[in-house]
Coordinates of all heavy atoms in Angstrom, one line a residue:
M627 N 20.6 -122.3 33.5 CA 21.5 -122.6 34.6 C 21.6 -124.0 34.8 O 20.6 -124.8 35.0 CB 20.8 -122.1 35.9 CG 21.5 -122.4 37.2 SD 20.8 -121.9 38.8 CE 20.6 -120.2 38.4
G628 N 22.8 -124.6 34.5 CA 23.0 -126.0 34.5 C 23.3 -126.6 36.0 O 23.4 -125.8 36.9
P629 N 23.5 -127.8 35.9 CA 23.8 -128.5 37.4 C 24.9 -128.0 38.0 O 24.8 -127.9 39.4 CB 23.9 -130.0 36.8 CG 23.5 -130.2 35.5 CD 23.5 -128.8 34.9
T630 N 25.8 -127.6 37.5 CA 27.1 -127.1 38.0 C 26.8 -125.7 38.8 O 27.0 -125.6 39.9 CB 28.1 -126.9 37.1 OG1 28.5 -128.0 36.5 CG2 29.4 -126.3 37.8
R631 N 26.0 -124.8 38.1 CA 25.6 -123.5 38.9 C 24.7 -123.7 39.8 O 24.7 -123.1 41.0 CB 24.9 -122.5 37.7 CG 25.9 -122.0 36.7 CD 26.8 -121.1 37.2 NE 26.3 -120.0 38.0 CZ 25.8 -118.9 37.7 NH1 25.7 -118.6 36.5 NH2 25.4 -117.9 38.5
V632 N 23.7 -124.8 39.7 CA 22.8 -125.1 40.8 C 23.5 -125.5 42.0 O 23.3 -125.2 43.2 CB 21.7 -126.1 40.3 CG1 20.9 -126.6 41.6 CG2 20.8 -125.5 39.3
K633 N 24.5 -126.4 41.8 CA 25.3 -127.0 42.8 C 26.2 -125.9 43.5 O 26.1 -125.8 44.8 CB 26.3 -128.0 42.4 CG 27.2 -128.8 43.3 CD 28.0 -129.8 42.6 CE 28.9 -130.6 43.6 NZ 29.7 -131.6 43.0
E634 N 26.7 -125.0 42.8 CA 27.4 -123.9 43.4 C 26.6 -123.0 44.3 O 27.0 -122.6 45.4 CB 28.1 -123.0 42.3 CG 29.2 -123.6 41.5 CD 29.6 -122.8 40.3 OE1 29.0 -121.9 40.0 OE2 30.5 -123.2 39.7
N635 N 25.4 -122.7 43.9 CA 24.3 -121.9 44.5 C 23.9 -122.7 45.9 O 23.7 -122.0 47.0 CB 23.3 -121.4 43.7 CG 23.7 -120.4 42.7 OD1 23.8 -119.2 43.2 ND2 23.9 -120.7 41.5
L636 N 23.7 -123.9 45.8 CA 23.3 -124.6 47.0 C 24.4 -124.7 48.0 O 24.3 -124.6 49.2 CB 22.8 -126.0 46.6 CG 21.4 -126.1 45.9 CD1 21.2 -127.6 45.4 CD2 20.3 -125.5 46.6
R637 N 25.6 -124.8 47.5 CA 26.8 -124.9 48.4 C 26.9 -123.4 49.1 O 27.1 -123.4 50.3 CB 28.0 -125.2 47.7 CG 29.3 -125.0 48.4 CD 29.5 -125.8 49.7 NE 29.2 -127.2 49.5 CZ 28.8 -128.0 50.6 NH1 28.7 -127.6 51.7 NH2 28.6 -129.3 50.3
F638 N 26.8 -122.3 48.4 CA 26.7 -121.1 49.0 C 25.7 -120.8 50.0 O 26.0 -120.3 51.0 CB 26.6 -120.0 47.8 CG 26.6 -118.5 48.3 CD1 27.7 -118.1 48.6 CD2 25.3 -117.9 48.5 CE1 27.6 -116.6 49.1 CE2 25.3 -116.7 49.0 CZ 26.4 -116.0 49.4
L639 N 24.6 -121.4 49.8 CA 23.6 -121.5 50.7 C 23.7 -122.2 52.1 O 23.4 -121.8 53.1 CB 22.1 -121.6 50.2 CG 21.5 -120.6 49.2 CD1 20.3 -121.2 48.5 CD2 21.2 -119.2 49.9
A640 N 24.3 -123.3 51.8 CA 24.5 -124.4 52.8 C 25.6 -123.7 53.7 O 25.6 -123.9 54.9 CB 24.8 -125.6 52.4
D641 N 26.7 -123.2 53.2 CA 27.8 -122.7 53.9 C 27.2 -121.5 54.6 O 26.7 -120.6 54.0 CB 28.9 -122.3 53.0 CG 29.7 -123.5 52.5 OD1 29.5 -124.7 53.0 OD2 30.4 -123.4 51.4
E642 N 27.5 -121.3 55.9 CA 27.1 -120.2 56.7 C 25.6 -120.0 56.6 O 25.1 -118.8 56.3 CB 27.9 -119.0 56.3 CG 29.4 -119.2 56.6 CD 30.1 -117.9 56.0 OE1 29.8 -116.8 56.4 OE2 31.3 -118.1 55.4
Y643 N 24.8 -121.0 56.6 CA 23.4 -120.9 56.3 C 22.7 -119.8 57.2 O 21.9 -119.0 56.6 CB 22.7 -122.2 56.6 CG 21.1 -122.2 56.5 CD1 20.6 -122.1 55.3 CD2 20.4 -121.9 57.5 CE1 19.2 -122.1 55.0 CE2 19.0 -121.9 57.5 CZ 18.4 -121.8 56.3 OH 17.0 -121.7 56.2
W644 N 23.0 -119.7 58.5 CA 22.3 -118.7 59.4 C 22.6 -117.3 59.1 O 21.8 -116.4 59.3 CB 22.5 -119.2 60.9 CG 21.8 -120.5 61.1 CD1 22.4 -121.6 61.4 CD2 20.5 -120.7 61.2 NE1 21.5 -122.7 61.6 CE2 20.3 -122.1 61.5 CE3 19.3 -119.9 60.8 CZ2 19.1 -122.6 61.6 CZ3 18.1 -120.6 61.1 CH2 17.9 -121.9 61.3
D645 N 23.8 -117.1 58.4 CA 24.2 -115.7 57.9 C 23.6 -115.4 56.6 O 23.5 -114.3 56.3 CB 25.6 -115.6 57.9 CG 26.3 -115.7 59.3 OD1 25.7 -115.2 60.3 OD2 27.6 -116.2 59.4
R646 N 23.2 -116.3 55.8 CA 22.7 -116.1 54.4 C 21.2 -116.5 54.2 O 20.8 -116.3 52.9 CB 23.7 -116.9 53.6 CG 25.0 -116.5 53.5 CD 25.9 -117.1 52.6 NE 27.3 -116.8 52.6 CZ 28.2 -117.4 52.2 NH1 28.1 -118.6 51.7 NH2 29.6 -116.9 52.2
H647 N 20.5 -116.9 55.2 CA 19.1 -117.4 54.8 C 18.1 -116.3 54.5 O 17.1 -116.5 54.0 CB 18.7 -118.4 55.7 CG 18.2 -117.9 57.1 ND1 19.1 -117.5 57.9 CD2 17.0 -117.8 57.5 CE1 18.5 -117.0 59.1 NE2 17.2 -117.2 58.8
L648 N 18.4 -115.1 55.1 CA 17.6 -114.0 55.0 C 17.9 -113.2 53.7 O 19.1 -113.1 53.3 CB 17.6 -113.1 56.2 CG 17.1 -113.8 57.4 CD1 17.3 -112.9 58.6 CD2 15.6 -114.2 57.4
G649 N 16.9 -112.5 53.2 CA 17.2 -111.4 52.1 C 17.0 -112.0 50.7 O 17.3 -111.3 49.8
R650 N 16.8 -113.2 50.5 CA 16.7 -113.8 49.2 C 15.5 -113.1 48.6 O 14.5 -112.8 49.1 CB 16.5 -115.3 49.3 CG 17.8 -116.0 49.8 CD 17.6 -117.5 49.6 NE 16.6 -117.9 50.4 CZ 16.5 -118.8 51.4 NH1 17.8 -119.3 51.8 NH2 15.7 -119.0 52.3
P651 N 15.6 -113.2 47.2 CA 14.4 -112.6 46.4 C 13.1 -113.2 46.6 O 13.1 -114.5 46.9 CB 15.0 -112.6 45.1 CG 16.3 -112.6 45.1 CD 16.6 -113.4 46.4
D652 N 12.0 -112.5 46.2 CA 10.7 -113.1 46.4 C 10.3 -114.2 45.5 O 9.7 -115.2 45.7 CB 9.6 -111.9 46.3 CG 9.8 -110.9 47.3 OD1 10.0 -111.5 48.6 OD2 9.8 -109.8 47.1
L653 N 10.8 -114.0 44.2 CA 10.4 -114.8 43.0 C 11.6 -115.4 42.3 O 12.8 -114.7 42.2 CB 9.6 -114.0 42.1 CG 8.3 -113.4 42.6 CD1 7.7 -112.5 41.5 CD2 7.3 -114.4 43.1
V654 N 11.5 -116.5 41.7 CA 12.4 -117.1 40.7 C 11.5 -117.3 39.4 O 10.5 -117.9 39.3 CB 13.0 -118.4 40.9 CG1 13.8 -119.0 40.1 CG2 13.7 -118.3 42.4
S655 N 11.9 -116.7 38.2 CA 11.2 -116.9 37.0 C 12.2 -117.7 35.9 O 13.4 -117.4 36.0 CB 11.0 -115.5 36.5 OG 10.4 -115.5 35.1
W656 N 11.6 -118.4 35.2 CA 12.3 -119.1 34.1 C 11.5 -119.6 32.9 O 10.3 -119.4 33.1 CB 13.2 -120.3 34.7 CG 12.3 -121.5 35.1 CD1 11.7 -122.5 34.3 CD2 11.6 -121.7 36.4 NE1 10.9 -123.3 35.1 CE2 10.7 -122.8 36.4 CE3 11.7 -121.0 37.7 CZ2 10.1 -123.2 37.5 CZ3 10.9 -121.5 38.7 CH2 10.2 -122.6 38.6
S657 N 12.1 -119.9 32.0 CA 11.3 -120.5 30.8 C 11.9 -121.9 30.6 O 13.0 -122.0 30.8 CB 11.4 -119.6 29.6 OG 12.6 -119.4 29.1
E658 N 11.0 -122.8 30.0 CA 11.4 -124.0 29.6 C 11.3 -124.2 28.1 O 10.2 -123.9 27.7 CB 10.5 -125.0 30.4 CG 10.9 -125.0 31.8 CD 10.3 -126.3 32.5 OE1 10.4 -127.4 32.0 OE2 9.7 -126.0 33.5
G659 N 12.2 -124.9 27.5 CA 12.1 -125.1 26.0 C 12.7 -126.3 25.7 O 12.8 -127.2 26.6
A660 N 13.1 -126.7 24.5 CA 13.6 -128.0 24.0 C 14.9 -128.2 24.7 O 15.2 -129.5 25.0 CB 13.7 -128.0 22.5
R661 N 15.6 -127.3 25.2 CA 16.9 -127.5 25.8 C 16.9 -127.4 27.2 O 17.9 -127.4 27.9 CB 18.0 -126.4 25.2 CG 18.2 -126.5 23.6 CD 19.0 -125.6 23.2 NE 20.4 -125.7 23.9 CZ 21.4 -124.7 23.7 NH1 21.1 -123.6 23.1 NH2 22.5 -125.0 24.3
G662 N 15.7 -127.4 27.8 CA 15.5 -127.3 29.2 C 15.2 -126.0 29.7 O 14.7 -125.2 29.1
V663 N 15.5 -125.8 31.0 CA 15.4 -124.5 31.7 C 16.3 -123.5 31.1 O 17.5 -123.7 31.1 CB 15.4 -124.7 33.2 CG1 15.3 -123.3 33.9 CG2 14.5 -125.5 33.8
A664 N 15.8 -122.3 31.0 CA 16.4 -121.1 30.4 C 16.0 -119.8 31.0 O 14.9 -119.9 31.6 CB 16.5 -121.1 29.0
D665 N 16.7 -118.9 30.9 CA 16.3 -117.5 31.1 C 16.0 -117.3 32.7 O 14.9 -116.9 33.1 CB 15.2 -117.0 30.4 CG 15.7 -116.9 28.9 OD1 16.7 -116.6 28.6 OD2 14.7 -117.3 28.2
V666 N 16.7 -118.0 33.7 CA 16.4 -117.9 35.0 C 16.6 -116.5 35.6 O 17.6 -115.9 35.1 CB 17.3 -119.0 35.8 CG1 17.1 -118.8 37.3 CG2 17.0 -120.4 35.3
E667 N 15.8 -116.0 36.4 CA 15.9 -114.7 36.8 C 15.4 -114.7 38.3 O 14.3 -115.1 38.6 CB 15.1 -113.8 35.9 CG 15.0 -112.3 36.2 CD 14.3 -111.5 35.1 OE1 13.0 -111.7 35.0 OE2 15.0 -111.1 34.3
F668 N 16.0 -113.9 39.1 CA 15.6 -113.9 40.5 C 15.0 -112.4 40.7 O 15.7 -111.5 40.2 CB 16.7 -113.9 41.5 CG 17.2 -115.4 41.6 CD1 18.0 -116.0 40.6 CD2 16.8 -116.3 42.6 CE1 18.4 -117.2 40.6 CE2 17.2 -117.5 42.6 CZ 18.0 -118.0 41.5
I669 N 13.8 -112.3 41.2 CA 13.1 -111.0 41.3 C 12.7 -110.7 42.7 O 12.1 -111.4 43.4 CB 11.8 -111.0 40.4 CG1 12.1 -111.4 39.0 CG2 11.1 -109.8 40.4 CD1 11.0 -111.8 38.2
E670 N 13.0 -109.5 43.2 CA 12.6 -108.8 44.4 C 11.5 -108.0 44.2 O 11.5 -106.9 43.3 CB 13.7 -108.2 45.1 CG 13.4 -107.5 46.4 CD 12.9 -108.5 47.4 OE1 13.5 -109.7 47.5 OE2 12.0 -108.1 48.4
V671 N 10.3 -108.2 44.8 CA 9.1 -107.4 44.5 C 9.0 -106.2 45.7 O 9.0 -106.6 46.8 CB 7.9 -108.2 44.4 CG1 6.6 -107.4 44.2 CG2 8.0 -109.3 43.4
K672 N 8.8 -105.1 45.2 CA 8.6 -103.9 46.2 C 7.5 -103.0 45.8 O 7.3 -102.9 44.6 CB 9.9 -103.1 46.3 CG 11.2 -103.7 46.9 CD 10.9 -103.9 48.2 CE 11.9 -104.7 48.9 NZ 11.6 -105.2 50.2
S673 N 6.7 -102.7 46.8 CA 5.7 -101.7 46.6 C 6.3 -100.2 46.5 O 7.5 -100.1 46.7 CB 4.6 -101.6 47.8 OG 5.2 -101.1 48.9
S674 N 5.6 -99.3 46.0 CA 6.1 -97.9 45.7 C 6.5 -97.3 47.1 O 7.5 -96.4 47.2 CB 5.0 -97.0 45.1 OG 3.9 -97.0 45.9
S675 N 6.2 -97.8 48.2 CA 6.5 -97.3 49.5 C 7.5 -98.1 50.3 O 8.0 -97.8 51.3 CB 5.3 -96.9 50.4 OG 4.7 -98.2 50.6
D676 N 7.9 -99.3 49.7 CA 8.9 -100.3 50.2 C 10.1 -100.1 50.0 O 10.6 -99.6 49.0 CB 8.2 -101.7 49.8 CG 8.8 -102.9 50.7 OD1 9.2 -102.5 51.9 OD2 8.5 -103.9 50.5
K677 N 11.1 -100.3 51.1 CA 12.5 -100.1 50.9 C 13.3 -101.5 51.0 O 12.7 -102.4 51.6 CB 13.0 -99.2 51.8 CG 12.3 -97.9 51.7 CD 13.4 -96.8 51.4 CE 12.8 -95.4 51.5 NZ 11.9 -95.0 50.4
L678 N 14.4 -101.8 50.4 CA 15.3 -102.8 50.7 C 15.7 -102.9 52.2 O 16.1 -101.9 52.6 CB 16.4 -102.9 49.8 CG 16.1 -103.2 48.2 CD1 17.5 -102.8 47.5 CD2 15.6 -104.5 47.9
S679 N 15.6 -104.2 52.7 CA 16.1 -104.3 54.1 C 17.6 -104.5 54.0 O 18.2 -104.8 52.9 CB 15.5 -105.6 54.7 OG 16.0 -106.8 54.1
E680 N 18.2 -104.5 55.2 CA 19.7 -104.5 55.1 C 20.0 -106.1 54.6 O 21.0 -106.2 53.9 CB 20.3 -104.3 56.6 CG 21.7 -104.5 56.6 CD 22.4 -103.3 56.0 OE1 21.8 -102.2 55.9 OE2 23.5 -103.6 55.4
D681 N 19.3 -107.0 55.0 CA 19.6 -108.4 54.6 C 19.4 -108.6 53.0 O 20.3 -109.3 52.5 CB 18.5 -109.5 55.2 CG 18.8 -109.7 56.7 OD1 19.9 -109.6 57.1 OD2 17.8 -109.6 57.4
Q682 N 18.5 -107.8 52.5 CA 18.3 -107.9 51.0 C 19.4 -107.2 50.4 O 19.9 -107.7 49.3 CB 16.9 -107.3 50.5 CG 15.7 -108.0 51.1 CD 14.4 -107.3 50.9 OE1 14.4 -106.0 51.1 NE2 13.4 -108.0 50.7
R683 N 19.9 -106.0 50.9 CA 21.1 -105.5 50.2 C 22.2 -106.4 50.4 O 23.0 -106.4 49.3 CB 21.3 -104.1 50.9 CG 20.2 -103.1 50.6 CD 20.8 -101.6 51.1 NE 20.5 -101.4 52.5 CZ 19.6 -101.1 53.1 NH1 18.4 -100.7 52.3 NH2 19.6 -100.9 54.5
D684 N 22.5 -107.0 51.5 CA 23.6 -108.0 51.6 C 23.5 -109.1 50.7 O 24.4 -109.5 50.0 CB 23.6 -108.7 52.9 CG 24.0 -107.7 54.1 OD1 24.6 -106.6 53.7 OD2 23.8 -107.9 55.4
W685 N 22.2 -109.7 50.4 CA 22.1 -110.7 49.3 C 22.4 -110.1 47.9 O 23.1 -110.9 47.3 CB 20.6 -111.2 49.3 CG 20.5 -112.4 48.4 CD1 20.6 -113.8 48.7 CD2 20.2 -112.4 47.1 NE1 20.5 -114.5 47.7 CE2 20.2 -113.7 46.5 CE3 20.1 -111.4 46.0 CZ2 20.2 -114.1 45.2 CZ3 19.9 -111.8 44.8 CH2 19.9 -113.0 44.3
I686 N 22.0 -108.8 47.6 CA 22.3 -108.3 46.3 C 23.8 -108.3 46.1 O 24.3 -108.6 45.1 CB 21.6 -107.0 46.2 CG1 20.0 -107.3 46.1 CG2 22.1 -106.2 45.0 CD1 19.2 -106.0 46.2
V687 N 24.6 -107.8 47.2 CA 25.9 -107.6 47.1 C 26.7 -109.0 46.9 O 27.5 -109.1 46.1 CB 26.6 -106.8 48.4 CG1 27.9 -107.0 48.4 CG2 26.1 -105.5 48.3
N688 N 26.2 -109.9 47.8 CA 26.9 -111.3 47.6 C 26.4 -111.9 46.2 O 27.4 -112.6 45.7 CB 26.3 -112.2 48.8 CG 26.8 -111.9 50.1 OD1 28.0 -111.6 50.3 ND2 26.1 -112.1 51.2
N689 N 25.3 -111.7 45.8 CA 24.9 -112.2 44.4 C 25.8 -111.6 43.3 O 26.5 -112.2 42.5 CB 23.5 -112.0 44.1 CG 23.1 -112.4 42.7 OD1 23.2 -113.6 42.4 ND2 22.8 -111.4 41.9
H690 N 26.1 -110.3 43.5 CA 26.8 -109.6 42.4 C 28.3 -110.0 42.5 O 28.9 -110.1 41.5 CB 26.8 -108.1 42.7 CG 27.5 -107.3 41.7 ND1 27.2 -107.0 40.5 CD2 28.8 -106.5 42.0 CE1 28.2 -106.4 39.8 NE2 29.1 -106.1 40.7
E691 N 28.8 -110.2 43.7 CA 30.3 -110.5 43.8 C 30.6 -112.0 43.7 O 31.5 -112.5 43.2 CB 30.8 -110.1 45.3 CG 30.9 -108.5 45.3 CD 31.2 -108.0 46.7 OE1 31.3 -109.0 47.6 OE2 31.3 -106.8 46.9
L692 N 29.7 -112.9 44.2 CA 30.0 -114.2 44.2 C 29.1 -115.2 43.3 O 29.6 -116.0 42.5 CB 29.7 -114.9 45.6 CG 30.6 -114.2 46.7 CD1 30.1 -114.5 48.1 CD2 32.1 -114.3 46.4
L693 N 27.7 -115.1 43.3 CA 26.9 -115.9 42.6 C 26.6 -115.5 41.1 O 26.5 -116.3 40.3 CB 25.5 -116.0 43.3 CG 25.5 -116.4 44.8 CD1 24.2 -116.4 45.3 CD2 26.1 -117.9 44.7
K694 N 26.6 -114.1 40.9 CA 26.3 -113.5 39.6 C 25.1 -114.2 38.9 O 24.9 -114.4 37.7 CB 27.5 -113.8 38.7 CG 28.8 -113.2 39.3 CD 30.0 -113.1 38.5 CE 31.2 -112.7 39.1 NZ 31.3 -111.8 40.0
L695 N 24.0 -114.3 39.7 CA 22.7 -114.7 39.2 C 22.0 -113.5 38.6 O 22.0 -112.5 39.1 CB 21.8 -115.3 40.2 CG 22.4 -116.6 41.0 CD1 21.7 -117.0 42.2 CD2 22.5 -117.7 39.9
P696 N 21.2 -113.7 37.5 CA 20.3 -112.7 37.0 C 19.5 -112.1 38.0 O 18.7 -112.9 38.5 CB 19.7 -113.2 35.8 CG 20.4 -114.5 35.5 CD 21.1 -114.9 36.8
F697 N 19.4 -110.9 38.2 CA 18.5 -110.3 39.3 C 17.8 -109.1 39.0 O 18.6 -108.3 38.3 CB 19.4 -110.0 40.6 CG 18.7 -109.4 41.7 CD1 17.8 -110.0 42.4 CD2 19.0 -108.0 41.9 CE1 17.1 -109.2 43.5 CE2 18.3 -107.3 42.8 CZ 17.3 -108.1 43.7
K698 N 16.6 -108.9 39.3 CA 15.8 -107.6 39.1 C 15.1 -107.2 40.3 O 14.7 -108.2 41.1 CB 14.9 -107.8 37.9 CG 15.8 -108.0 36.6 CD 14.9 -107.8 35.4 CE 15.8 -108.2 34.3 NZ 15.4 -107.7 33.0
I699 N 14.7 -106.0 40.2 CA 13.8 -105.5 41.3 C 12.5 -104.9 40.5 O 12.6 -104.4 39.5 CB 14.3 -104.3 42.1 CG1 15.5 -104.7 42.9 CG2 13.3 -103.8 42.9 CD1 16.2 -103.5 43.6
A700 N 11.3 -105.5 40.8 CA 10.2 -105.1 40.3 C 9.3 -104.3 41.3 O 9.0 -104.6 42.4 CB 9.3 -106.4 40.1
K701 N 9.1 -103.1 40.9 CA 8.4 -102.1 41.7 C 7.0 -102.1 41.3 O 6.6 -101.8 40.1 CB 9.1 -100.6 41.5 CG 8.7 -99.8 42.5 CD 9.6 -99.8 43.8 CE 9.5 -98.6 44.5 NZ 10.3 -98.6 45.7
V702 N 6.0 -102.3 42.2 CA 4.7 -102.5 41.9 C 4.0 -101.2 42.5 O 4.2 -100.8 43.6 CB 4.1 -103.7 42.6 CG1 2.6 -103.8 42.3 CG2 4.8 -105.0 42.1
H703 N 3.3 -100.5 41.6 CA 2.5 -99.3 41.9 C 1.0 -99.7 41.8 O 0.5 -100.3 41.0 CB 2.9 -98.3 40.8 CG 4.4 -97.9 40.9 ND1 4.9 -97.1 41.8 CD2 5.3 -98.3 40.0 CE1 6.2 -96.9 41.4 NE2 6.4 -97.7 40.3
R704 N 0.4 -99.1 42.9 CA -1.1 -99.3 43.0 C -1.8 -98.5 41.9 O -1.4 -97.3 41.8 CB -1.6 -98.8 44.4 CG -3.1 -99.1 44.6 CD -3.5 -98.6 46.0 NE -2.9 -99.4 46.9 CZ -3.4 -100.3 47.7 NH1 -4.6 -100.7 47.5 NH2 -2.8 -101.0 48.6
G705 N -2.7 -99.0 41.4 CA -3.6 -98.3 40.2 C -4.4 -97.3 40.9 O -4.5 -97.2 42.2
P706 N -5.1 -96.6 40.2 CA -6.1 -95.6 40.7 C -7.2 -96.3 41.6 O -7.6 -97.5 41.3 CB -6.8 -94.9 39.5 CG -6.4 -95.8 38.3 CD -5.2 -96.6 38.7
K707 N -7.7 -95.7 42.6 CA -8.6 -96.2 43.5 C -10.0 -96.4 42.7 O -10.3 -95.5 41.8 CB -9.0 -95.3 44.6 CG -7.8 -95.2 45.5 CD -8.1 -94.3 46.8 CE -7.1 -94.4 47.8 NZ -7.4 -93.6 49.0
N708 N -10.6 -97.5 42.9 CA -11.8 -97.8 42.2 C -13.0 -97.5 43.2 O -12.8 -97.5 44.3 CB -11.9 -99.4 41.8 CG -10.8 -99.6 40.8 OD1 -10.4 -98.8 40.0 ND2 -10.4 -100.9 41.0
G709 N -14.2 -97.4 42.6 CA -15.4 -97.1 43.3 C -15.6 -98.2 44.2 O -15.2 -99.5 44.0
P710 N -16.8 -98.2 45.0 CA -17.2 -99.4 45.9 C -17.7 -100.5 44.9 O -18.4 -100.3 44.0 CB -18.4 -98.7 46.6 CG -18.5 -97.3 46.4 CD -17.5 -97.0 45.1
G711 N -17.3 -101.7 45.5 CA -17.8 -103.0 44.7 C -17.0 -103.2 43.5 O -17.2 -104.3 42.9
E712 N -16.0 -102.5 43.0 CA -15.1 -102.7 41.9 C -14.1 -103.5 42.3 O -13.5 -103.3 43.3 CB -14.9 -101.4 41.2 CG -15.9 -100.6 40.6 CD -15.6 -99.4 39.9 OE1 -14.5 -99.4 39.2 OE2 -16.1 -98.4 40.0
D713 N -13.5 -104.2 41.5 CA -12.2 -105.0 41.7 C -11.1 -104.2 41.7 O -11.1 -103.2 40.8 CB -12.2 -106.0 40.5 CG -11.0 -107.0 40.7 OD1 -10.6 -107.2 41.8 OD2 -10.3 -107.2 39.7
R714 N -10.2 -104.3 42.7 CA -9.0 -103.4 42.8 C -7.9 -104.3 42.3 O -7.4 -105.1 43.0 CB -8.8 -103.2 44.2 CG -9.7 -102.1 44.7 CD -9.4 -101.7 46.0 NE -8.2 -100.8 45.7 CZ -7.9 -99.8 46.4 NH1 -8.6 -99.5 47.6 NH2 -6.9 -99.1 46.2
G715 N -7.5 -104.1 41.0 CA -6.5 -104.8 40.5 C -5.0 -104.2 40.8 O -5.0 -103.0 41.3
F716 N -4.0 -104.7 40.4 CA -2.8 -104.2 40.6 C -2.5 -103.0 39.5 O -3.1 -103.2 38.5 CB -1.7 -105.3 40.5 CG -1.6 -106.3 41.6 CD1 -2.1 -107.5 41.5 CD2 -1.1 -105.8 42.7 CE1 -2.0 -108.3 42.6 CE2 -1.0 -106.6 44.0 CZ -1.5 -107.8 43.9
G717 N -1.7 -102.2 39.9 CA -1.3 -101.3 38.9 C -0.2 -101.7 37.9 O -0.1 -102.7 37.7
R718 N 0.5 -100.9 37.5 CA 1.6 -101.1 36.7 C 2.9 -101.6 37.3 O 3.0 -101.2 38.6 CB 2.0 -99.9 35.7 CG 2.5 -98.8 36.4 CD 2.4 -97.5 35.5 NE 2.6 -96.4 36.3 CZ 3.7 -95.8 36.7 NH1 4.8 -96.5 36.6 NH2 3.8 -94.8 37.5
V719 N 3.6 -102.4 36.8 CA 4.8 -102.9 37.3 C 6.0 -102.2 36.6 O 6.2 -102.3 35.5 CB 5.0 -104.4 37.3 CG1 6.3 -104.7 37.8 CG2 3.9 -105.0 38.0
K720 N 7.0 -101.6 37.4 CA 8.1 -100.9 36.8 C 9.3 -102.0 37.3 O 9.6 -102.1 38.4 CB 8.4 -99.5 37.4 CG 9.5 -98.9 36.9 CD 9.6 -97.5 37.4 CE 10.8 -96.8 36.8 NZ 11.0 -95.4 37.5
R721 N 10.0 -102.3 36.2 CA 11.1 -103.3 36.5 C 12.5 -102.6 36.4 O 12.8 -102.0 35.4 CB 11.2 -104.4 35.6 CG 9.8 -105.3 35.9 CD 9.7 -106.4 34.9 NE 10.8 -107.2 35.1 CZ 11.0 -108.5 34.5 NH1 10.1 -108.9 33.6 NH2 12.0 -109.1 34.6
G722 N 13.3 -102.7 37.4 CA 14.6 -102.2 37.3 C 15.6 -103.4 37.4 O 15.4 -104.4 37.8
S723 N 16.7 -103.2 36.7 CA 17.7 -104.3 36.6 C 18.9 -104.0 37.4 O 19.4 -102.9 37.6 CB 18.2 -104.4 35.1 OG 19.3 -105.2 35.0
R724 N 19.1 -105.1 38.2 CA 20.4 -105.1 39.1 C 21.0 -106.4 38.9 O 20.4 -107.4 39.0 CB 20.0 -104.8 40.4 CG 19.5 -103.3 40.7 CD 19.5 -103.1 42.1 NE 20.6 -103.0 42.7 CZ 21.1 -102.0 43.5 NH1 20.3 -101.0 43.9 NH2 22.3 -101.9 44.1
S725 N 22.4 -106.5 38.8 CA 23.0 -107.8 38.9 C 24.3 -107.6 39.5 O 24.8 -106.6 39.8 CB 23.2 -108.3 37.4 OG 23.7 -107.4 36.5

């Protein structure tokens, strides 16, 4: 994502800020290489029992229609219950793609 795309996205957020400040994804992921930042991706994290809010659905629609940023939903599932005193780690992550 170059400077022009960053500027476009900041302008989108600044215009009508109070209507657009909710619903943004939880994470931004990217890689850096010799050519700078690449593979930018916005990620919404949901548990197996969690659902998208209306604000999140609005952000997804606006993103798809206007911003066209790479976007995914990561569904996190709890692993099997451990016995007493054992570390409770996260289970597997199922990633769904939406853009």
Side-chain angles (χ1 to χ4, degrees):
M627 177 184 306
T630 302
R631 289 291 310 273
V632 171
K633 185 177 173 181
E634 289 169 357
N635 284 286
L636 290 174
R637 171 56 53 202
F638 176 80
L639 291 174
D641 291 344
E642 301 176 43
Y643 175 80
W644 293 111
D645 293 330
R646 296 179 174 161
H647 76 286
L648 297 173
R650 291 185 300 242
D652 298 313
L653 303 173
V654 178
S655 173
W656 68 89
S657 62
E658 291 187 49
R661 297 179 62 193
V663 174
D665 303 322
V666 176
E667 177 174 82
F668 291 79
I669 304 166
E670 178 62 35
V671 180
K672 292 291 176 198
S673 71
S674 57
S675 62
D676 201 4
K677 303 234 186 287
L678 290 170
S679 71
E680 189 66 34
D681 291 322
Q682 291 168 327
R683 286 192 288 273
D684 289 345
W685 187 93
I686 292 168
V687 169
N688 283 330
N689 177 59
H690 179 73
E691 293 174 355
L692 304 170
L693 302 175
K694 302 189 185 330
L695 298 169
F697 172 76
K698 294 192 180 199
I699 296 175
K701 194 81 159 175
V702 179
H703 301 277
R704 184 181 297 258
K707 290 185 178 180
N708 296 331
E712 293 182 42
D713 182 34
R714 292 189 69 148
F716 289 104
R718 57 191 168 84
V719 174
K720 182 178 180 184
R721 294 176 61 172
S723 177
R724 293 188 69 136
S725 53

